[in-house]
Amino acid sequence: MRLIERMKKFFEDVNPDRFFVAFVLFALIMTFVGGVAFSYAVTSHYVVRAPQVVERVAVEDPQGVEKVDYGQFMKLVEDHKIKSARIDMNVVNSVGVDGVRRTLRHDRWLYSWTFPKELAEAGVDVSFADPSENAPELTTGERIMGYVGIATQVLFFLMFIALMVFLFFSLRSMTSFGWRPKVVKSDVRFTDVAGQEESKKELSELLSFLTKTDAYEKTGAKAPKGILLVGPPGTGKTLLAKALAGEAKASFITVTGSDFSNRFIGAGKERVETLFKVARKNKPCIIFIDEIDSVAGNRSAASSDGSKEHSTTINKLLTEMDGFAANEGVFVVGATNRIDVLDPAILRPGRFDRHIHVNVSDVKGREEILEVHVRGLPLSKDVDLKTIARSTAGFSGAALRNLVNEAAIHAARRESPEIEPADFDSARDKILVGVKREGVVMSEREKSVIAAHEAGHAVIAASLENADPIHVATIIPRGAALGFVMQIPEHDTFLMSKSRLLTDLTILMGGRVAEELVFGEDEVTSGASGDIDQATRIATNMVARYGMDAGVGMRRVEMVNGALPVEAEAAVQRLLLQAKEAARRLLVERRRSLDALSSALLLKETIYGDEVRSIVAAA
Ligand code: ADP
Ligand code: MG
Ligand code: ZN
């Protein structure tokens, strides 16, 4: 069983192209070597040396020997002129009724096997020579060459079998034939996932859908069918899905988007079908589709080649999801780090309509993740996880696990019984090389620029009466933004007042203005480009669509060749300048709040609303 598993693994891992090239090359070489060896052996033995033996026989006993050919000999046989014949390897020595000895040279494979019988029927006394007497012995060379010839044939045969096995397994992996997703029980719990409190909270809401299906069925409530975990690699998406399954005591099936792509026509679709069939049999069940973008990437963006196959696979996935009743106990969790490339169809209600962002953790989260991974390790008392967390900004959960492991290895190499802070330091330096390449680790300078920028937004948002309350301010990158301040409105608003829009503009200006104040006008960065986009859009709408500029007045201003008319453009410009001035006045006035908040952000990376407000108020 183990052997078969291993063989299967081996053959599935083999690169088919290389395998075929290697096989063909090897086969060619073997055919060549085997052929040469074999023909050498045969030629040498039968063509060259055997006739020499006959010559020797003839030379050794030349007296009264008459050479005849086949026709002459058969004629003599028919005429009953031959008394006896002794069939040797390449020669027939006969004695005539008249006592004449005649020799017929022959290549024995030219005669029919009935030759001796024909002689006997004609009354000839037939005997056979002992082959060892006159046949040439195989020389060592001929023997070796013969064996080489045979060995290559055997090898060739074995390779042929290997090829068949390989084809079998690769067919299995490329088609849906025999494909079955593995169903496992997960023993991961939410406590094993650290520093993802928000994601965990959202997921635990889903738990009840999975565990209390009956209750939902009774009330007719529709449980969601799928959620999407969105976030960069190594942040714990797989782990969260496993934890969800573990908490729900549900079966867990992991597949990867690539299980369904790059396959033979129709195989992707069949696999999706099998997947859901198996899941239904094992309900409650969580299907985890990792890298879902590779199966459900935007259909229009897919290459023309695979796109047809691609869309049949997605369609199948969607119909399966549409098809099962929401309370069936099958739940699909997709993971991706590129939600932007996903086919919009899979994001529609009833499909993956809930998205949970799983992001790189902030300093507190990192400390918690470290705590999870140092469980049971012999840490020295000097190790302070807080310090380590602080020095590993940008590290994902996977990178942190790796860090702990490297530190343990380092300690073991020193033959130290405990893991010391120095082990963590060198582990961090080692991993940092890799993490830096991924571009998620910022320099201290950049971090402080981002901290000042976000603090600028936050201080203004916290100071202006009609601004939405701040939910969180962070310098942890999320999506394209290097940091952000998130405000959550207290009420839904349907009408935007001019004063409210001016407030939004002022908040948007706060980032850049803070950079100017803290670092000087020449040191400002590209970090404000998103703010500028948004501010321009708001100001343009105010002027061109909402009639909020007195000079331009209550009229709709259309773009001409992509530009606003001069006077409208000037009005937009004026609004933006005013907003920037307002932001500058506010921040100059609250410079201490700005500095306090940006150092707090540098230290904690993520600060929630209440704390932001109290820092701003205290300074
Ligand atoms: P993803 O699926 O987002 O790429 P994984 O879930 O595969 O990331 O994470 C890989 C490993 O990193 C996990 O098995 C776990 O050991 C560690 N890890 C990642 N995130 C966390 C976390 N938030 N808490 C604890 N460990 C984590
Ligand atoms: Mg993963
Ligand atoms: Zn900004």
Side-chain angles (χ1 to χ4, degrees):
M1 214 47 226
R2 296 249 359 202
L3 186 73
I4 289 178
E5 282 294 307
R6 257 196 226 166
M7 214 158 79
K8 198 172 134 192
K9 179 114 188 49
F10 174 80
F11 281 109
E12 275 175 356
D13 288 350
V14 175
N15 174 341
D17 301 343
R18 288 218 198 134
F19 185 80
F20 272 108
V21 170
F23 180 83
V24 169
L25 268 183
F26 192 58
L28 276 177
I29 293 172
M30 273 194 346
T31 320
F32 184 73
V33 171
V36 168
F38 221 78
S39 41
Y40 169 80
V42 168
T43 317
S44 155
H45 188 259
Y46 292 104
V47 181
V48 179
R49 287 194 316 104
Q52 285 171 358
V53 173
V54 177
E55 295 295 339
R56 198 191 70 224
V57 171
V59 169
E60 276 169 1
D61 192 8
Q63 270 185 359
V65 172
E66 186 184 314
K67 284 188 181 168
V68 289
D69 67 16
Y70 183 62
Q72 290 167 336
F73 185 72
M74 289 318 282
K75 180 95 182 41
L76 291 166
V77 170
E78 259 169 50
D79 297 347
H80 301 287
K81 296 228 170 93
I82 303 291
K83 194 169 117 215
S84 67
R86 183 179 160 82
I87 300 175
D88 206 333
M89 178 120 147
N90 289 33
V91 74
V92 179
N93 292 308
S94 67
V95 180
V97 180
D98 50 4
V100 176
R101 290 161 63 190
R102 296 182 180 81
T103 302
L104 166 66
R105 286 192 54 185
H106 70 120
D107 291 319
R108 65 178 167 179
W109 46 80
L110 291 185
Y111 298 108
S112 72
W113 294 110
T114 54
F115 176 65
K117 203 171 156 209
E118 277 170 45
L119 297 190
E121 275 166 6
V124 179
D125 180 10
V126 181
S127 63
F128 290 89
D130 179 347
S132 63
E133 277 173 30
N134 287 325
E137 287 279 322
L138 282 166
T139 64
T140 316
E142 285 164 357
R143 193 164 281 141
I144 289 173
M145 287 314 216
Y147 285 148
V148 169
I150 288 170
T152 53
Q153 303 309 303
V154 171
L155 254 177
F156 197 89
F157 181 72
L158 291 180
M159 282 200 65
F160 182 74
I161 290 180
L163 183 72
M164 289 292 127
V165 173
F166 170 72
L167 274 181
F168 174 75
F169 282 119
S170 60
L171 272 183
R172 266 175 66 125
S173 73
M174 280 189 282
T175 66
S176 62
F177 170 69
W179 184 83
R180 256 185 95 78
K182 250 202 204 93
V183 183
V184 296
K185 287 277 169 203
S186 161
D187 52 5
V188 181
R189 292 288 179 275
F190 278 147
T191 48
D192 297 318
V193 192
Q196 297 291 357
E197 295 317 314
E198 285 181 59
S199 318
K200 277 178 0 188
K201 212 168 84 207
E202 289 186 62
L203 282 176
S204 46
E205 281 170 23
L206 295 173
L207 255 183
S208 64
F209 288 122
L210 280 159
T211 47
K212 302 192 185 107
T213 42
D214 292 345
Y216 283 89
E217 212 153 354
K218 273 191 199 114
T219 62
K222 290 267 178 296
K225 295 172 180 176
I227 53 156
L228 208 54
L229 300 176
V230 185
T235 46
K237 298 183 293 297
T238 312
L239 198 64
L240 277 167
K242 274 190 195 148
L244 182 65
E247 296 281 350
K249 302 201 172 48
S251 321
F252 187 67
I253 298 179
T254 314
V255 289
T256 311
S258 57
D259 280 337
F260 305 105
S261 54
N262 286 329
R263 302 288 165 189
F264 287 164
I265 305 296
K269 182 174 164 241
E270 279 171 30
R271 285 190 173 196
V272 172
E273 209 173 290
T274 317
L275 176 63
F276 280 87
K277 217 181 279 164
V278 172
R280 272 193 211 101
K281 246 182 237 156
N282 290 282
K283 68 190 172 187
C285 181
I286 287 175
I287 299 177
F288 180 63
I289 309 182
D290 211 351
E291 290 158 34
I292 195 167
D293 42 282
S294 70
V295 57
N298 206 325
R299 274 176 280 192
S300 55
S303 75
S304 59
D305 262 3
S307 70
K308 184 143 178 294
E309 169 67 359
H310 197 80
S311 47
T312 52
T313 306
I314 305 175
N315 285 338
K316 188 67 200 169
L317 182 66
L318 295 182
T319 41
E320 287 287 351
M321 284 187 75
D322 290 343
F324 64 76
N327 302 322
E328 220 176 306
V330 176
F331 192 73
V332 188
V333 180
T336 179
N337 54 354
R338 312 158 59 196
I339 196 168
D340 50 310
V341 303
L342 284 181
D343 194 310
I346 83 158
L347 303 177
R348 278 214 289 274
R351 295 164 177 177
F352 293 98
D353 47 1
R354 292 199 184 194
H355 307 162
I356 296 181
H357 287 270
V358 186
N359 282 292
V360 179
S361 303
D362 61 15
V363 71
K364 194 161 148 285
R366 290 199 299 273
E367 189 185 337
E368 288 163 15
I369 295 174
L370 285 168
E371 268 162 22
V372 168
H373 290 287
V374 298
R375 266 183 216 158
L377 292 184
L379 283 197
S380 124
K381 276 196 295 296
D382 303 336
V383 173
D384 178 20
L385 294 183
K386 219 177 226 96
T387 316
I388 300 172
R390 204 163 286 150
S391 65
T392 47
F395 276 43
S396 66
L400 290 170
R401 181 188 62 170
N402 202 0
L403 174 85
V404 172
N405 190 40
E406 286 291 341
I409 290 173
H410 196 264
R413 204 174 292 139
R414 289 192 302 120
E415 294 177 15
S416 151
E418 287 188 329
I419 309 175
E420 306 277 347
D423 297 318
F424 278 98
D425 286 343
S426 67
R428 187 193 57 229
D429 294 343
K430 186 170 168 193
I431 292 171
L432 214 45
V433 179
V435 179
K436 268 215 182 97
R437 212 177 300 121
E438 288 168 16
V440 289
V441 167
M442 274 172 272
S443 68
E444 287 303 312
R445 165 81 184 183
E446 279 181 321
K447 263 171 73 176
S448 51
V449 171
I450 295 167
H453 180 111
E454 301 308 333
H457 289 306
V459 167
I460 294 180
S463 317
L464 290 177
E465 276 299 311
N466 56 350
D468 286 330
I470 294 172
H471 173 59
V472 65
T474 178
I475 57 169
I476 293 291
R478 178 184 288 194
L482 292 173
F484 58 90
V485 173
M486 185 197 263
Q487 296 164 266
I488 294 184
E490 280 173 304
H491 324 280
D492 287 344
T493 42
F494 301 100
L495 291 171
M496 295 298 251
S497 66
K498 181 173 174 182
S499 68
R500 173 54 200 268
L501 288 169
L502 288 174
T503 297
D504 286 352
L505 282 182
T506 312
I507 296 172
L508 283 168
M509 295 298 159
R512 164 58 63 82
V513 170
E515 287 182 42
E516 285 177 3
L517 290 179
V518 177
F519 296 95
E521 306 224 344
D522 290 340
E523 297 303 315
V524 296
T525 66
S526 55
S529 74
D531 302 336
I532 292 172
D533 275 354
Q534 217 177 325
T536 310
R537 202 164 45 239
I538 293 175
T540 307
N541 280 336
M542 287 172 76
V543 171
R545 295 178 57 205
Y546 308 151
M548 285 180 181
D549 182 79
V552 174
M554 295 268 287
R555 68 188 165 94
R556 169 89 197 209
V557 183
E558 299 291 343
M559 293 253 190
V560 181
N561 296 332
L564 287 173
V566 184
E567 84 276 15
E569 192 58 58
V572 169
Q573 187 70 7
R574 212 159 43 233
L575 277 176
L576 293 175
L577 272 176
Q578 274 169 14
K580 193 171 173 200
E581 270 317 301
R584 173 177 287 276
R585 272 196 309 276
L586 265 168
L587 287 184
V588 168
E589 194 182 302
R590 288 160 203 238
R591 179 59 193 266
R592 294 211 352 238
S593 302
L594 176 67
D595 291 341
L597 188 57
S598 57
S599 3
L601 274 173
L602 268 180
L603 198 67
K604 295 190 177 167
E605 296 175 3
T606 299
I607 303 182
Y608 286 88
D610 287 338
E611 202 180 342
V612 172
R613 281 182 284 278
S614 71
I615 291 173
V616 171

